[in-house]
Amino acid sequence: MRTEPKTPAARGSGRIPVTLVTGFLGSGKTTLINAALRAPQMARTVVVVNEFGEVGLDHQLFASSSDSVVVLENGCLCCTVRSDLVGTLNTLFHDREAGRIPAFENVVIESSGLAEPGAVLQAFLSEPTLDGLYRVASVVTLVDAVNWRDTSERHDEALRQVAFADQILLTKLDLAKRANAEALVRRDIADLNPGAEIGIVDWTPGPIAAMLTAPGFDAADAKADPRPWLRLTGDDKHGADDHDEHDHAHHDHDHAGDHDHHEPHYHLRGKGIESFVLLRENPLSRDELQFLLDGISQNLGPSLLRVKGLVNIAEEPGQPAVIQGAQHLLHTMTWLEKWPDDDRRTRIVFITQGIAGEELREMIYLLDRVSQRTFKARERGSRLRQSSPGGRN
Ligand SMILES: Nc1nc2c(ncn2[C@@H]2O[C@H](COP(=O)(O)OP(=O)(O)OP(=O)(O)O)[C@@H](O)[C@H]2O)c(=O)[nH]1
């Protein structure tokens, strides 16, 4: 990741917001988008679906993109990007600029039920063309509450779709036989992705359309409020404690509360998805942050699913830096004009797969300590050199 010179609002927020709708096969994606299309506020929205004709789009702009993927040089399938999606979005943007199609204001992408949201998200963060034209406003993941446990046991994609989400909507609760179905699914999901907002689909077109066209958080807009995006508020939704600068985001499965203790324990963690919040009271210097992020990227590499956070940088105490990443890619840092409230702590949420929670925690903790020590030692060294008789000053 590059830490760029501070240029608040340098790129403004002119990029077109994209809402990515994901969810396992049959979770209700098409039904949701079709419901939204009945609302007038979708008139300036382009809907891109994987399969042509999947959504009835009589009066809508429409773009199709087939399922081809490109395997990048390192051959890692997690890095495949949907080049046709990138091409489609590029064409749409330039057609819009040239007046060949109406000036749409939003894009909604319905990804295939088996798609890896990480690859699509990464395309927006890494693809130079897309990055300048579009931004991901929100990743909305639908979860079929009836089939969730079966599906999540069998299909990793379903878990990763939840792990990548900013918002999660439960569907089919009307079909659930168990009275506590909602509570159980919510518990699993909060465990996988403590930073996501969880709700139930209200099938009224207006509210769905509003959700799909919401501007979301634009990290390039210096005036944007990051709180809903990060979902870390004063009461700290992630459950991290102030007494420890590093805390684990998981809920304690054994604690009393609204958990149903008659339910057999569900080992989602056996699936290897972990989340962790790095909380830090002391500001980081730019170099420390670079060191920390490089270390995280090198050591966690393919295990990283999603990273997002606000960082207090020592050189710029009045302005938080925003970092975000998908898979091993950490996106260029941007700056907000001011802190959204009095909480000036660095807060970075990590969602990983394939690394044990304890190991993750230890690694980030260690990297942070090494980074602090290295830079403190370097500062001391430079002070000593300056004050010594043979020093430069
Ligand atoms: N009763 C009920 N049915 C639902 C609900 N959500 C979706 N369905 C039904 O579930 C079926 C699958 O919904 P789709 O919208 O096609 O699901 P999808 O996610 O687009 O499916 P794929 O395209 O296969 O990935 C349809 O018959 C919907 O009517 C819900 O909340 N309640």
Side-chain angles (χ1 to χ4, degrees), residues 1-81:
M1 169 167 154
R2 288 164 290 143
T3 55
E4 289 198 331
K6 185 176 67 73
T7 49
R11 298 189 311 171
S13 53
R15 294 174 302 159
I16 297 171
V18 175
T19 300
L20 182 60
V21 180
T22 87
F24 202 68
L25 299 169
S27 57
K29 299 178 293 293
T30 309
T31 313
L32 184 88
I33 293 170
N34 270 333
L37 288 174
R38 289 198 281 276
Q41 63 261 54
M42 290 287 282
R44 295 176 88 82
T45 299
V46 176
V47 178
V48 179
V49 295
N50 291 327
E51 290 153 277
F52 188 83
E54 205 175 315
V55 178
L57 291 156
D58 296 340
H59 61 291
Q60 300 295 322
L61 290 165
F62 185 75
S64 73
S65 83
S66 68
D67 273 335
S68 69
V69 291
V70 173
V71 181
L72 298 183
E73 274 170 30
N74 62 8
C76 166
L77 266 179
C78 69
C79 301
T80 56
V81 288

Side-chain angles (χ1 to χ4, degrees), residues 21-34 51 54 110-114 142 144 170-175 200-201 203:
V21 180
T22 87
F24 202 68
L25 299 169
S27 57
K29 299 178 293 293
T30 309
T31 313
L32 184 88
I33 293 170
N34 270 333
E51 290 153 277
E54 205 175 315
E110 180 192 341
S111 70
S112 129
L114 291 167
L142 300 194
D144 168 342
L170 308 184
T171 58
K172 307 199 182 173
L173 277 169
D174 56 308
L175 303 175
I200 298 171
V201 178
W203 290 104

